[in-house]
Amino acid sequence: MKRRSFLAATGAALAGASLPASAQRFQPAQDITPLIEKITGGKKPEDGGIKIDLPAIAENGNSVPMGIQVESPMTEADHVAAIHILAERNPRPQIAVFHFSPASGRAQVDTRVRLAGTQKVTVIASLSGGRFRMARVDVLVTSAACLDEATLAT
């Protein structure tokens, strides 16, 4: 083996070995309390009444299936107005908002979300009458999405 090809092969091996380590470095969890207070207007959300279907382990954070169902009669007097999904380690923690009306029939969402690593996912349901419900679920993500290029450079 020539010296030049040895150096090229060694450099490629070192770069390949260091890339997965830096790619697995996750963005630190953010304090989403101010965001929750902004959504709820400072009111304390009730626990329960929200069913979250999110796998406990997601191999790829680029497309994680998620289902949300909020118990509600969906009448004019008592219905779900919106469902907010928050992910504390994503660069932008508020990842989705779904709006409903009594004509929606039921407060249910089936979607896919991007997750930047292992974290808690928070769901807040805005109910008619200025009430709120909140539920959280933990998810372990083995291959993170939403990586910031600035974190990969260091």
Side-chain angles (χ1 to χ4, degrees):
M1 179 180 272
K2 294 184 178 180
R3 181 176 169 204
R4 217 171 255 217
S5 24
F6 172 76
L7 290 174
T10 303
L14 290 174
S18 66
L19 182 60
S22 64
Q24 289 298 320
R25 218 173 324 144
F26 304 130
Q27 185 160 336
Q30 302 174 47
D31 181 16
I32 60 169
T33 306
L35 186 55
I36 293 172
E37 289 176 352
K38 182 179 174 187
I39 292 168
T40 63
K43 295 181 181 176
K44 183 173 176 17
E46 304 168 12
D47 289 329
I50 300 175
K51 180 182 173 195
I52 303 172
D53 289 325
L54 189 66
I57 300 174
E59 289 186 21
N60 187 346
N62 284 311
S63 181
V64 181
M66 181 175 193
I68 301 167
Q69 188 171 9
V70 181
E71 296 172 14
S72 173
M74 295 302 284
T75 62
E76 193 65 44
D78 186 8
H79 64 274
V80 176
I83 294 176
H84 304 261
I85 304 173
L86 311 175
E88 63 188 13
R89 287 198 170 183
N90 279 20
R92 294 183 182 183
Q94 187 166 15
I95 57 176
V97 180
F98 298 93
H99 297 276
F100 298 90
S101 72
S104 301
R106 60 183 171 184
Q108 181 176 348
V109 173
D110 290 309
T111 186
R112 292 186 174 267
V113 294
R114 292 184 73 175
L115 297 173
T118 300
Q119 60 184 299
K120 275 189 193 313
V121 175
T122 303
V123 174
I124 299 174
S126 302
L127 307 174
S128 59
R131 298 172 295 132
F132 297 92
R133 291 184 188 154
M134 186 167 75
R136 290 185 168 147
V137 64
D138 292 311
V139 60
L140 185 135
V141 178
T142 56
S143 178
C146 308
L147 293 175
D148 185 6
E149 292 178 9
T151 60
L152 294 176
T154 57

